[in-house]
Amino acid sequence: MNVLGVEFSSRKLNYVLLACEGEHVQILQSNRLELSDTRSRQALRAFQSAIAALINGTSPELIGIKDKPETGHMRAGAAALKMEGILLAAAPCDVEFISGKRINACADDDSLNAYHQPAYKAALAAFRKQSA
């Protein structure tokens, strides 16, 4: 099963694609996309095209997104909410929002950059949640 893990950080979408089968997990891909301007129609369309290419290129069967609060002390910024909306609209499969607590319960993968760890953990936690 291909699982795409996503974390929004400022104007960046960090992602990790995992191939999961039972207890065996393999990292197939990791990268980041950036939304250059939150109030530009052209920038939003470019980001939408990048998301479409990502979805078509990775063919995820499940997407795990690190949950960001929408209200309260540490609320998500405008860029994160717009990127999340574009991703949700394009998603061809189930999407699981993964809490920070579940993210923290997963171990890091030393082969990834630090900024990709939350996306990796979101994918892994989403797979485990669906497999349970």
Short mmCIF file of all heavy atoms in Angstrom, two decimals, residues 23 42 47 62 68 78 87 108 122:
data_model
loop_
_atom_site.label_atom_id
_atom_site.label_comp_id
_atom_site.label_asym_id
_atom_site.label_seq_id
_atom_site.Cartn_x
_atom_site.Cartn_y
_atom_site.Cartn_z
N GLU A 23 4.60 -5.33 8.40
CA GLU A 23 5.56 -4.58 9.23
C GLU A 23 6.67 -3.96 8.38
O GLU A 23 7.47 -3.20 8.89
CB GLU A 23 6.17 -5.51 10.29
CG GLU A 23 5.18 -5.93 11.36
CD GLU A 23 4.67 -4.76 12.17
OE1 GLU A 23 5.49 -3.91 12.59
OE2 GLU A 23 3.45 -4.69 12.39
N GLN A 42 -2.42 32.98 -9.56
CA GLN A 42 -1.43 32.23 -10.33
C GLN A 42 -0.61 31.29 -9.43
O GLN A 42 -0.37 30.14 -9.78
CB GLN A 42 -0.50 33.20 -11.05
CG GLN A 42 0.48 32.54 -11.98
CD GLN A 42 1.33 33.56 -12.73
OE1 GLN A 42 1.41 34.73 -12.35
NE2 GLN A 42 1.96 33.11 -13.79
N PHE A 47 0.41 25.79 -7.44
CA PHE A 47 0.45 24.82 -6.35
C PHE A 47 -0.55 23.69 -6.60
O PHE A 47 -0.24 22.52 -6.38
CB PHE A 47 0.17 25.50 -5.00
CG PHE A 47 0.37 24.60 -3.84
CD1 PHE A 47 1.64 24.35 -3.35
CD2 PHE A 47 -0.71 23.97 -3.23
CE1 PHE A 47 1.84 23.48 -2.28
CE2 PHE A 47 -0.53 23.11 -2.16
CZ PHE A 47 0.75 22.87 -1.68
N LEU A 62 -3.66 5.95 0.58
CA LEU A 62 -4.00 6.58 1.85
C LEU A 62 -3.11 7.80 2.02
O LEU A 62 -1.94 7.75 1.66
CB LEU A 62 -3.78 5.59 3.01
CG LEU A 62 -4.01 6.08 4.43
CD1 LEU A 62 -5.48 6.47 4.64
CD2 LEU A 62 -3.58 5.02 5.43
N LYS A 68 -3.11 20.14 12.21
CA LYS A 68 -2.78 21.49 12.70
C LYS A 68 -4.06 22.08 13.26
O LYS A 68 -5.09 22.07 12.59
CB LYS A 68 -2.30 22.37 11.56
CG LYS A 68 -0.96 21.99 11.01
CD LYS A 68 -0.04 23.13 11.19
CE LYS A 68 1.27 22.84 10.50
NZ LYS A 68 2.37 23.26 11.28
N ALA A 78 -2.55 30.94 7.26
CA ALA A 78 -3.36 30.99 6.04
C ALA A 78 -2.80 30.08 4.96
O ALA A 78 -3.55 29.38 4.28
CB ALA A 78 -3.44 32.42 5.53
N LEU A 87 -5.07 20.16 -1.27
CA LEU A 87 -4.74 18.73 -1.19
C LEU A 87 -5.99 17.88 -0.97
O LEU A 87 -6.19 16.86 -1.62
CB LEU A 87 -3.72 18.47 -0.08
CG LEU A 87 -3.33 17.01 0.15
CD1 LEU A 87 -2.68 16.41 -1.10
CD2 LEU A 87 -2.40 16.89 1.34
N ASP A 108 11.76 8.11 14.65
CA ASP A 108 12.32 8.78 13.48
C ASP A 108 12.94 7.75 12.53
O ASP A 108 13.29 6.64 12.94
CB ASP A 108 13.42 9.77 13.88
CG ASP A 108 12.89 11.03 14.54
OD1 ASP A 108 11.67 11.29 14.44
OD2 ASP A 108 13.69 11.77 15.12
N ALA A 122 3.51 10.80 10.01
CA ALA A 122 2.08 10.90 9.67
C ALA A 122 1.67 9.74 8.77
O ALA A 122 0.62 9.14 8.96
CB ALA A 122 1.77 12.24 9.02
#
